[in-house]
Structure formats: structure tokens, C-alpha cells
């Protein structure tokens, strides 16, 4: 269902409540309708993953305020219609049907979880509804079987490209050369395994261990004992804040202190949940709002803080890369609509291949290309390594952990 709830804040109306005109066209096939000037979204707005929906929403609403203050798109304000999926794939599919068939939005924006995105592949194709991901990094979200992806795009990281980045960082920091993979037992974690294995093979380094865990697992001592006894000194990690914290607590009880290099499921709040144990943990990403910012990004942060009082500082942005990705994605959407010249989904989809836009995360030139591998806008050259230091997630170059092992 649509929601105006926002974790950690008072009740605020979401931009772009469903219009009567959009409802009135619901009886017509979505592909036959003139699309409406709205971005439909399925995000994790309530429940344990509500912080992920927040990290996207603050960016999209801020970008839309800027775009609409400058005249909107094709003379119309671009609206947001957001639905809550609580992180559940079935709800994400239901929300996509509402967005594509009832609201008739020009594009749908996805949320945090890779399983939700993968569940949308067939429904989006059936509705011919473009989709823009901004966080979920699973390779299969964009690279579909039989090269079949036509409608899904992403302004985020991709695990097939992330894996070599993590492996390179792990090799540079491992003194023994014994590197292990620890991953959550979800479509995201399991999907990353072949990507990491291929990257390790390309680096001529066998994995010294491979361990998995379930969502909400509290004790990972058994897995950590096996890795410790195998001599592993560096761990590549695929998981999120809660389980990362529980893993570090298990390590702490064992006196085991390997280097942790994580995919970007870990966010800023990890420093709060893990406390001092977070110190020195490395994480891949595309952006952080902490540390030294260029003037444009500093201005965006100020506008986010003015619009959302609960963001008292950059430390209150839970998933910094996701916020930056979503901000850039909103502008890419607006630019594609302008290039299309009308609110038509297929014209919009084709225009995405002609968008050139200099964003906060990257210079998108072009944002996308027709081959499905390049339905990902952020290339590996824009990937960055961050480190937790004194409770902040900073560019590794601004921390004591910038040096690799010697």
C-alpha cells in the first residue's frame, strides 16, 4: 500500500500522491496509455529495512525539488509516488503492477534488495515499464538469461564488477595470501559467489575458505573458528549491518581479527551497531557524504538537511552511496524524458542511451548503452574504497587504513 510513513520522523506526505487522471486510465492497457509525469517507487519504507528506503527518498525528493524549481520536465512537474514493500519480493511485484497499470508512471525506481529486483524482471517486461535501480547490486538484476533485458537499468554497483574490485583490495592487504569469502544465504549473497570465485581465479589465488550465514544469525563462531584455523587473515564479506556486527562480535569473542573488506551492504549505521569493532573495516561504494566534499555535493547535503531535519549531519545518511546514486538517477531520468520529448515509455527507454550527464558519482557519457551489460551506468572506474574510522565512514585515503600490506 502507499505510505506516508518515514522511519525516525514525523508524518510527512510523499510527493506525488496518485492523481485522479492516473486512476481514470487504469482500465486501459498500460502500453497503450500516454505515460504520466511520475516516478513510481517500491522501497523499504517500514520495518527493519526502513533506513534503506529513507536513504533513497531523501535524495529523490531533493533532486525533484531542484528539477521542478527549474521548470520541471517538458513543462510539467515530475512527481514521486512511493509504495512500501517492506523488503518483500511479492510486495514489490504488487507495487510494480500499481505503478505500471494504475498510476501509469513513466518509470519505476527500485529499492535496496536484490531479490525484489530479480522478482520484477518478468512483470516489468510484460508491462513495458522502465525500471531504475539505485542500490541492489546483484549481477542478475541487469544481466538476464538469454540476454533478454530490455527494460531494467541501474545507477549503482554490479557484483560482477564489484568482485574484482574487492579481490584486488583483499590481495593488497593480505599478508598471508589466505583470503576467504563470507556471504549471506540470499539471492544477493549466493549470486555473488560465482563472481568472487571467477575474480579469485583470474587473480591466481584460491579461496582459503567459504562460509555462509542466514539472515538474523547472531552467532557465527563456528564459521569464524574454521576460517581462523585455516589461517585466513582477510575476509571478503557480502552482508548487511546487522549480520556484519554479529560476525565481528563472534570474532571478538575468539580473539580473531582478520581484515574485513565488504561489499556495500554495510552502511553508516554499522558504526553505531558495531561500535569500536567497526574500526578499520573496509567497504566498497560509490560515494560518502563524510569528509571533504566538493562544492556541489556540499550544497546538495545542505538542501537534504534543510528538507529532512532528521538528517542533522552526514552521519545520519544510512547508505551514502545509495543516496548519491539516487540523486544522480533522478537527474538521468529527467534528462531522458527531455530527450524523448514526450511522456512515452519506449521513447524514454531509448533516450536513456543518449543521456550525457555529469553527476555527483560519475560523469555519465553516455549513461547507458543498448547492450544489457551496459544497462549499468556506474563503471568500475568510479568504485571507491571506504574505511570506518572513529565512527565515520570515510574515503580510505583520509584514514590510517589507506596503506596496503607490505
Amino acid at each position: 500500500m502507499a505510505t506516508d510513513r518515514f522511519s525516525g520522523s514525523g508524518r510527512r506526505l510523499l510527493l506525488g500522491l496518485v492523481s485522479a487522471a492516473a486512476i481514470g486510465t487504469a482500465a486501459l492497457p498500460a502500453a497503450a496509455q500516454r505515460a504520466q509525469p511520475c516516478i513510481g517507487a517500491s522501497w523499504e519504507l517500514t520495518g527493519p529495512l526502513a533506513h534503506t528506503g529513507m536513504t533513497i527518498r531523501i535524495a529523490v525528493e531533493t533532486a525533484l525539488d531542484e528539477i521542478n524549481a527549474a521548470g520541471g520536465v517538458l513543462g510539467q512537474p515530475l512527481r514521486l509516488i512511493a509504495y512500501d514493500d517492506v523488503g518483500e519480493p511479492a510486495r514489490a511485484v504488487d507495487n510494480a503492477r500499481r505503478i505500471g497499470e494504475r498510476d501509469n508512471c513513466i518509470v519505476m525506481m527500485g529499492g535496496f534488495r536484490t531479490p525484489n529486483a530479480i522478482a520484477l524482471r518478468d512483470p516489468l517486461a510484460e508491462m513495458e515499464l522502465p525500471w531504475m535501480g539505485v542500490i541492489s547490486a546483484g549481477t542478475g538484476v541487469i544481466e538476464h538469461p538469454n540476454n533478454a533485458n530490455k527494460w531494467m537499468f541501474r545507477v549503482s554497483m554490479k557484483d560482477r564488477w564489484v568482485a574484482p574490485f574487492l579481490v584486488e583490495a583483499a590481495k593488497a592487504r593480505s599478508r598471508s595470501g589466505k583470503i576467504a569469502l563470507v556471504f549471506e544465504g540470499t539471492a544477493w549473497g549466493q549470486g555473488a559467489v560465482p563472481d568472487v570465485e571467477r575474480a579469485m581465479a583470474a587473480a591466481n589465488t584460491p579461496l582459503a575458505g567459504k562460509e555462509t550465514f542466514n539472515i538474523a544469525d547472531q552467532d557465527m563462531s563456528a564459521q569464524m573458528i574454521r576460517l581462523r584455523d585455516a589461517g585466513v587473515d582477510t575476509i571478503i564479506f557480502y552482508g548487511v549491518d546487522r549480520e556484519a556486527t554479529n560476525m565481528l562480535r563472534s570474532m571478538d569473542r575468539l580473539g580473531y581479527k582478520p581484515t574485513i573488506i565488504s561489499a556495500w551492504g554495510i552502511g553508516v549505521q554499522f558504526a553505531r551497531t558495531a561500535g569500536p569493532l567497526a574500526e578499520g573495516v573496509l567497504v566498497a561504494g560509490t560515494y560518502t557524504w563524510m569528509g571533504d566534499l566538493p562544492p556541489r555535493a556540499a550544497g546538495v547535503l545542505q538542501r537534504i538537511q534543510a528538507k529532512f531535519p532528521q538528517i542533522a549531519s552526514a552521519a545520519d545518511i544510512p547508505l551514502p552511496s545509495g543516496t548519491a546514486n539516487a540523486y544522480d538517477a533522478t537527474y538521468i531520468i529527467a534528462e531522458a524524458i527531455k530527450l524523448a520529448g514526450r511522456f512515452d515509455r519506449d521513447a524514454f527507454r531509448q533516450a536513456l542511451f543518449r543521456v550525457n550527464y555529469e553527476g555527483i558519482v560519475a560523469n555519465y557519457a553516455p549513461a547507458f548503452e543498448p547492450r544489457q551489460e551496459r544497462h549499468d551506468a556506474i563503471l568500475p572506474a568510479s568504485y571507491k574504497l571506504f574505511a570506518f574510522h572513529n565512527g565515520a565512514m570515510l574515503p580510505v585515503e583520509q584514514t590510517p587504513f589507506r596503506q596496503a600490506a607490505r
Side-chain angles (χ1 to χ4, degrees):
M1 60 182 290
T3 179
D4 64 358
R5 287 179 290 181
F6 185 48
S7 177
S9 72
R11 295 176 63 85
R12 296 166 57 94
L13 290 176
L14 288 175
L15 290 177
L17 296 175
V18 182
S19 69
I23 295 173
T25 61
L28 298 174
Q33 299 170 14
R34 180 179 183 275
Q36 297 297 310
C38 55
I39 298 173
S42 181
W43 296 334
E44 299 84 349
L45 295 173
T46 60
L49 294 175
H51 65 285
T52 67
M54 177 182 76
T55 209
I56 302 172
R57 180 187 165 198
I58 61 176
V60 175
E61 290 198 15
T62 299
L64 286 178
D65 283 353
E66 296 170 0
I67 291 166
N68 291 334
V73 181
L74 302 183
Q76 297 192 57
L78 190 57
R79 300 175 290 115
L80 172 67
I81 300 173
Y83 295 100
D84 186 10
D85 61 34
V86 201
E88 296 178 1
R91 292 198 184 191
V93 171
D94 287 344
N95 292 343
R97 293 292 183 191
R98 293 187 182 97
I99 292 163
E101 296 173 353
R102 186 182 73 181
D103 304 327
N104 193 26
C105 289
I106 187 83
V107 65
M108 176 180 178
M109 187 176 285
F112 177 68
R113 297 195 68 226
T114 287
N116 288 22
I118 289 176
L120 291 171
R121 295 190 304 197
D122 290 340
L124 293 170
E126 291 167 8
M127 293 184 289
E128 298 185 342
L129 173 63
W131 179 92
M132 189 74 69
V134 295
I135 295 184
S136 51
T139 301
V141 172
I142 296 300
E143 297 186 11
H144 296 187
N146 301 320
N147 198 38
N149 183 16
K150 183 178 178 181
W151 296 97
M152 298 183 76
F153 298 82
R154 181 164 55 189
V155 182
S156 181
M157 302 180 90
K158 170 157 61 182
D159 282 336
R160 187 166 66 80
W161 294 344
V162 171
F165 180 84
L166 297 177
V167 167
E168 181 180 354
K171 284 195 67 177
R173 285 163 173 79
S174 175
R175 296 182 183 276
S176 68
K178 293 186 176 181
I179 301 168
L181 172 64
V182 178
F183 60 97
E184 64 177 44
T186 64
W188 175 52
Q190 293 170 346
V193 173
D195 293 329
V196 173
E197 289 177 335
R198 279 191 293 268
M200 291 291 289
N204 296 315
T205 304
L207 278 172
K210 189 166 61 177
E211 298 288 346
T212 190
F213 58 88
N214 295 318
I215 297 298
D217 275 359
Q218 296 185 9
D219 186 1
M220 302 183 197
S221 297
Q223 297 98 312
M224 297 306 106
I225 288 171
R226 287 192 289 270
L227 297 183
R228 180 198 63 187
D229 292 350
V232 168
D233 70 356
T234 305
I235 290 174
I236 295 173
F237 180 77
Y238 278 78
V240 299
D241 297 335
R242 179 178 58 180
E243 287 73 35
T245 297
N246 292 339
M247 181 180 72
L248 286 177
R249 289 172 178 166
S250 297
M251 290 177 175
D252 189 52
R253 288 192 293 269
L254 297 170
Y256 177 42
K257 297 182 179 180
T259 297
I260 308 297
I261 301 177
S262 177
W264 72 330
I266 291 178
V268 166
Q269 72 174 14
F270 173 65
R272 300 171 183 171
T273 59
L277 296 177
E279 183 74 9
V281 171
L282 305 171
V283 58
T286 59
Y287 207 79
T288 180
W289 301 87
M290 295 181 173
D292 300 328
L293 291 178
R296 181 185 176 194
V300 173
L301 178 59
Q302 289 176 357
R303 288 188 287 278
I304 287 174
Q305 291 177 281
K307 185 175 181 64
F308 298 95
Q310 64 270 41
I311 308 298
S313 72
D316 296 317
I317 297 178
L319 296 171
S321 295
T323 297
N325 296 350
Y327 181 87
D328 281 0
T330 306
Y331 269 94
I332 289 171
I333 287 169
E335 290 300 311
I337 296 171
K338 292 175 187 176
L339 289 171
R342 60 191 188 277
F343 290 96
D344 175 273
R345 290 179 185 169
D346 192 57
F348 167 80
R349 180 188 67 82
Q350 295 184 58
L352 286 169
F353 304 126
R354 295 185 282 126
V355 170
N356 287 274
Y357 171 71
E358 188 167 351
I360 286 179
V361 173
N363 182 20
Y364 306 93
F368 304 101
E369 296 176 16
R371 54 196 173 95
Q372 74 169 5
E373 180 189 43
R374 272 289 279 117
H375 282 211
D376 275 294
I378 300 177
L379 303 179
S382 296
Y383 293 179
K384 297 176 177 63
L385 193 64
F386 304 103
F388 284 91
H389 178 53
N390 292 334
M393 192 175 80
L394 300 169
V396 70
E397 296 83 6
Q398 298 178 25
T399 75
F401 309 105
R402 60 186 177 275
Q403 295 295 332
R406 296 185 184 276

